Amino acid sequence: MSRARITPLAQALLILCVAALFGAAAQLLSPTRIPWSEAWSARAETKATEAGIAIADTARAQALIESGGVLVFDARSQRDFDAGHLPGAMSFPDSQRIEKYPDYADFLTPDQPALIYCSGHTCDESLELCMFLLEQGHTNLVLYLGGYQDWTAAQLPVSK
Amino acid sequence: MNADAPATSWKTAAAWIIAIFIAVIFALAAAPKIAQPAAFAEAVYRYHLLPDSAINAFAVFMPWTEAILAIALLAGSRFRKGALLIAILLLLVFIAAMSINLYRGVDIACGCFSVASTAESMSWLNIARNIGLIILCALAWRWTPSKAAPQT
């Protein structure tokens, strides 16, 4: 007997419908369910503010760097750092924060001001790195949300 | 013809093996995302591709799609082609999402098999892996007989 076969497209739609049912059921019943929508875009700023991390715009970042009293950490990958970074910045990729931390731990005293940035508003390695440094007991952190993108857009000098 | 029989059974077996392999991959990918939707939503957000309002819905439904397609792949050849179709579409979406972020230079975790933000950063290797999976899906599709066609 040949059973009635449905086309691959119909099979796919059926699979999607079943997945949708399970997803909806999980959102109704699961203890780990999440809200249907969240203000993700404001996340970096909200999380930083809640954690007591200062936020800098480009003018403030520039003033801090020119004052010279601040360590500048580039949380992007080493490759991006090598292609160009803020003057005086040191490479501290968030993805290698555990390995890199000992390199800086000696002169990064708990109240040493540090300015941290990544590629721009669409990245959050800088936030992740700030949170990590906060956990290590460093409290004088400034997050430059505009990052490398805003810095270069303002035609400010970069180092290579 | 009788001469076709060994070739057909070889292809059927190969299609089965690939289907099981793809199913295991997607099941392994789905499990942590379903278990920790909040962490997965964050991984999705870090790709910076979806509007705020779509991130959580994607983070809820996409892993279930992975899970159900894995089950469909294991449920014989009846739903295999539909499941392979979705698998290929998902893999293409993943390739696009990862390529855009590698191009942007955003150093984020893949969020593929682990939802931890400290998981290893994604790289072009992830894209190569997905291309390999797409090729396997295509082979399984090709070697899955469509029994609707009358065999004479």
Side-chain angles (χ1 to χ4, degrees):
Chain A
M1 281 298 288
S2 76
R3 287 177 297 178
R5 290 247 155 200
I6 50 175
T7 64
L9 199 62
Q11 294 169 15
L13 286 174
L14 194 62
I15 292 168
L16 289 177
C17 288
V18 174
L21 280 176
F22 273 88
Q27 278 292 81
L28 281 176
L29 305 169
S30 164
T32 59
R33 63 181 174 266
I34 54 176
W36 282 110
S37 84
E38 274 173 71
W40 284 105
S41 298
R43 175 179 167 274
E45 211 164 333
T46 313
K47 265 187 104 167
T49 311
E50 278 170 9
I53 299 163
I55 305 278
D57 58 9
T58 303
R60 169 113 194 272
Q62 190 188 6
L64 279 170
I65 291 172
E66 283 169 0
S67 76
V70 65
L71 290 178
V72 185
F73 288 126
D74 186 320
R76 301 174 301 160
S77 67
Q78 182 73 46
R79 199 191 54 201
D80 289 332
F81 177 84
D82 292 341
H85 51 261
L86 270 57
M90 291 174 284
S91 177
F92 199 158
D94 174 55
S95 55
Q96 291 155 39
R97 59 196 181 206
I98 309 288
E99 300 92 306
K100 275 274 183 184
Y101 180 64
D103 295 354
Y104 301 124
D106 283 347
F107 50 93
L108 191 58
T109 52
D111 53 355
Q112 163 67 45
L115 178 80
I116 295 147
Y117 71 94
C118 49
S119 58
H121 291 283
T122 56
C123 71
D124 58 3
E125 293 111 294
S126 50
L127 173 72
E128 299 292 324
L129 186 59
C130 276
M131 302 304 268
F132 168 76
L133 289 174
L134 208 58
E135 281 167 25
Q136 310 307 313
H138 306 287
T139 49
N140 204 347
L141 304 171
V142 184
L143 179 61
Y144 174 32
L145 284 173
Y148 191 69
Q149 215 165 36
D150 279 11
W151 185 267
T152 47
Q155 317 247 307
L156 291 164
V158 294
S159 305
K160 289 200 177 182
Chain B
M1 300 294 278
N2 268 350
D4 286 346
T8 308
S9 63
W10 176 82
K11 284 176 180 173
T12 308
W16 258 108
I17 292 167
I18 295 173
I20 292 168
F21 178 72
I22 302 282
V24 169
I25 298 274
F26 273 98
L28 287 176
K33 297 170 190 160
I34 288 173
Q36 297 157 264
F40 181 55
E42 186 173 327
V44 173
Y45 157 72
R46 296 192 78 197
Y47 274 82
H48 286 280
L49 291 169
L50 290 173
D52 281 9
S53 53
I55 288 171
N56 286 17
F58 181 84
V60 167
F61 291 118
M62 199 280 283
W64 280 107
T65 307
E66 291 184 321
I68 303 298
L69 90 80
I71 293 168
L73 281 173
L74 296 176
S77 57
R78 196 169 167 76
F79 293 102
R80 185 183 292 159
K81 284 193 172 176
L84 289 171
L85 197 64
I86 298 175
I88 291 171
L89 281 176
L90 281 177
L91 290 165
L92 288 173
V93 168
F94 300 160
I95 288 174
M98 291 193 285
S99 303
I100 291 169
N101 279 289
L102 286 169
Y103 175 76
R104 280 177 179 166
V106 179
D107 188 14
I108 54 173
C110 168
C112 303
F113 297 97
S114 161
V115 293
S117 69
T118 49
E120 203 177 329
S121 302
M122 65 178 177
S123 70
W124 294 106
L125 276 180
N126 294 101
I127 291 175
R129 181 190 66 204
N130 281 6
I131 292 171
L133 290 173
I134 288 177
I135 293 169
L136 284 178
C137 287
L139 287 175
W141 176 290
R142 221 184 132 173
W143 291 336
T144 297
S146 36
K147 290 192 182 145
Q151 308 258 313
T152 48

